[in-house]
Amino acid sequence: MANCKVCGAPGWFFLLAKTGLCANCGRMVAMEVSQRASDIETASRRVNDTLNPDSKIAGLDVVASNLEVLSRYESKGIPTLTESPTARLEATRSDLKEFILSTARQELEALVGRVSAATDAQRKRRLYSDFLLKLADYRRRVGSQ
């Protein structure tokens, strides 16, 4: 007899649904999947609507983190979204990396202009330092994928 895919309860003590979940886990998973799907949809809309690069990156991070959880369910054979969360997660990670790289390039071009216009060496150093901190953050975000 099969066990619940989440809690491991044996099927002979607890009736399992077609999804392979006991009643308690079935309700909890359904609520979580619904909430995460809603969060993904909301974050995706924000990503499409905003022009702020930091907001886009944060929104893509929210989408990716929710898809990671749903892909764990998918790997256990538990149905979640109509499309594969794992495939969508890979696409989201790819989009995030591409967006971070293009944003970094745009910020570098803007930095070159600001540094050229700055006459004070201290100001130039501050501009470079701020940009290096931003690059370190971008590297951390891309590397954590």
Side-chain angles (χ1 to χ4, degrees):
M1 186 120 243
N3 294 342
C4 175
K5 293 178 180 178
V6 173
C7 70
W12 59 69
F13 288 126
F14 301 97
L15 292 176
L16 300 180
K18 290 179 183 178
T19 58
L21 303 174
C22 66
N24 287 336
C25 291
R27 283 190 294 276
M28 288 189 319
V29 167
M31 286 178 7
E32 184 176 16
V33 167
S34 174
Q35 182 61 50
R36 290 192 182 277
S38 174
D39 292 348
I40 290 168
E41 183 62 33
T42 301
S44 295
R45 265 189 267 118
R46 287 184 184 152
V47 164
N48 292 332
D49 292 345
T50 187
L51 297 176
N52 183 326
D54 291 329
S55 295
K56 280 188 186 274
I57 291 169
L60 288 169
D61 281 340
V62 168
V63 171
S65 65
N66 281 292
L67 286 170
E68 283 175 12
V69 174
L70 294 179
S71 68
R72 282 188 229 126
Y73 283 135
E74 180 185 38
S75 69
K76 292 180 180 180
I78 300 170
T80 55
L81 304 174
T82 54
E83 62 182 302
S84 169
T86 304
R88 187 164 175 198
L89 175 61
E90 291 306 313
T92 300
R93 284 179 175 164
S94 176
D95 291 347
L96 180 58
K97 285 178 185 179
E98 288 177 29
F99 184 75
I100 287 174
L101 289 173
S102 72
T103 301
R105 284 187 195 105
Q106 290 171 356
E107 289 180 6
L108 176 61
E109 291 172 8
L111 171 72
V112 169
R114 288 194 307 265
V115 167
S116 297
T119 56
D120 180 25
Q122 183 69 19
R123 172 77 178 140
K124 289 181 181 188
R125 227 178 332 222
R126 230 178 298 122
L127 288 169
Y128 282 129
S129 177
D130 291 344
F131 183 69
L132 288 174
L133 289 173
K134 192 73 161 178
L135 281 180
D137 181 49
Y138 288 158
R139 175 180 275 174
R140 180 189 55 80
R141 286 177 186 246
V142 169
S144 68
Q145 302 296 312

